[in-house]
Amino acid sequence: MFILILGAPGSGKGTQGRILAERLGLPKITTGDILRAAMKAGTPLGMQAKKFYDAGKLVPDSVVLGMIKDELARPEAKDGAVLDGFPRTAAQAELVDKTLAERMQRLNHILLLDVTEEELVKRLRARAATEGRSDDTPEAVAERLRVYQMDTAPLIAHYTTRGIVHRVPGIGTVDQIAEEIKRIIGR
Ligand code: B4P
């Protein structure tokens, strides 16, 4: 089973993706974590990504598409995965759809975490104070929210036509939201 967790920055994709992947025994593929690790290690991917990442912009598809292809090709992901942080653009969605279709697979569920902008900003501000992530500055957060609306939110319409999008109220405790996801997926 392939499940995509979709939502604005700070909507809780990482938190809920982790819980869901553990419960279903699926690998979680998180493009943000992969990019952060690459930047930390100073690999060519990390060096290419850094200036976009720090500014809150999407790392260009020309850089990210190959990485996504490699991740989906990993043996652990052959029967399913929780996708956190991608697809995020039309080109990424096309790559994911095509790669899975070639394997006679498809995205089964899309969980759209619905959180107000006010709450998103509050959460990211709190995380900036504790973790100091380089893209949690007020300027980068504003840009990430703008980019989400412009590039990623249109994917909702793309997948809604397939009837696989579930809107999940993303405000409440982590456990309450996880329970709601369990109810929606049915396990
Ligand atoms: P990501 O790492 O994906 O970051 P994000 O979408 O901004 O989400 P984030 O991790 O911050 O928040 P989450 O929803 O998990 O991407 C960062 C950057 O990497 C992008 O800007 C881009 O540059 C690059 N990138 C990544 N993927 C890419 C791709 N496919 N293509 C191109 N570029 C890409 O929320 C977590 C926060 O909310 C935490 O602080 C958590 O404690 C809190 N939280 C969770 N649940 C909560 C709850 N119920 N109540 C209160 N707080 C909660």
Side-chain angles (χ1 to χ4, degrees):
M1 183 188 287
F2 287 87
I3 303 172
L4 161 61
I5 312 240
L6 196 62
S11 56
K13 301 181 295 289
T15 310
Q16 293 302 330
R18 203 168 311 116
I19 296 171
L20 183 63
E22 250 170 50
R23 194 174 69 238
L24 300 182
L26 291 173
K28 178 159 97 80
I29 307 175
T30 306
T31 43
D33 285 354
I34 298 167
L35 292 169
R36 280 183 285 279
M39 288 188 289
K40 199 167 167 211
T43 64
L45 171 68
M47 286 191 284
Q48 280 175 294
K50 188 163 173 40
K51 74 167 191 284
F52 300 100
Y53 180 99
D54 285 349
K57 297 190 183 308
L58 289 182
V59 179
D61 283 335
S62 55
V63 177
V64 166
L65 289 177
M67 173 183 105
I68 290 176
K69 210 164 175 208
D70 291 348
E71 288 299 317
L72 290 174
R74 286 161 73 101
E76 308 88 278
K78 99 177 152 31
D79 297 323
V82 173
L83 313 185
D84 164 12
F86 80 101
R88 230 172 169 113
T89 63
Q92 292 178 23
E94 200 180 306
L95 174 70
V96 171
D97 291 349
K98 184 167 154 271
T99 305
L100 294 182
E102 282 167 3
R103 294 155 39 168
M104 311 295 271
Q105 294 169 322
R106 61 186 177 88
L107 282 176
N108 303 93
H109 297 287
I110 296 183
L111 300 167
L112 175 62
L113 292 174
D114 213 356
V115 176
T116 60
E117 189 157 324
E118 192 189 352
E119 172 72 11
L120 297 172
V121 171
K122 200 171 107 197
R123 288 182 189 179
L124 295 176
R125 222 176 260 154
R127 185 170 68 185
T130 54
E131 293 178 23
R133 221 171 91 169
S134 62
D135 63 339
D136 279 343
T137 60
E139 300 73 26
V141 166
E143 181 63 7
R144 281 157 64 200
L145 291 169
R146 194 187 67 77
V147 167
Y148 173 77
Q149 289 305 338
M150 196 174 66
D151 292 330
T152 307
L155 298 184
I156 300 166
H158 167 75
Y159 287 119
T160 297
T161 55
R162 290 198 215 162
I164 56 172
V165 176
H166 313 275
R167 253 173 216 275
V168 183
I171 297 192
T173 67
V174 169
D175 288 348
Q176 282 167 344
I177 299 163
E179 267 310 306
E180 178 62 12
I181 291 177
K182 190 172 173 185
R183 195 190 61 75
I184 290 170
I185 306 273
R187 64 194 180 110

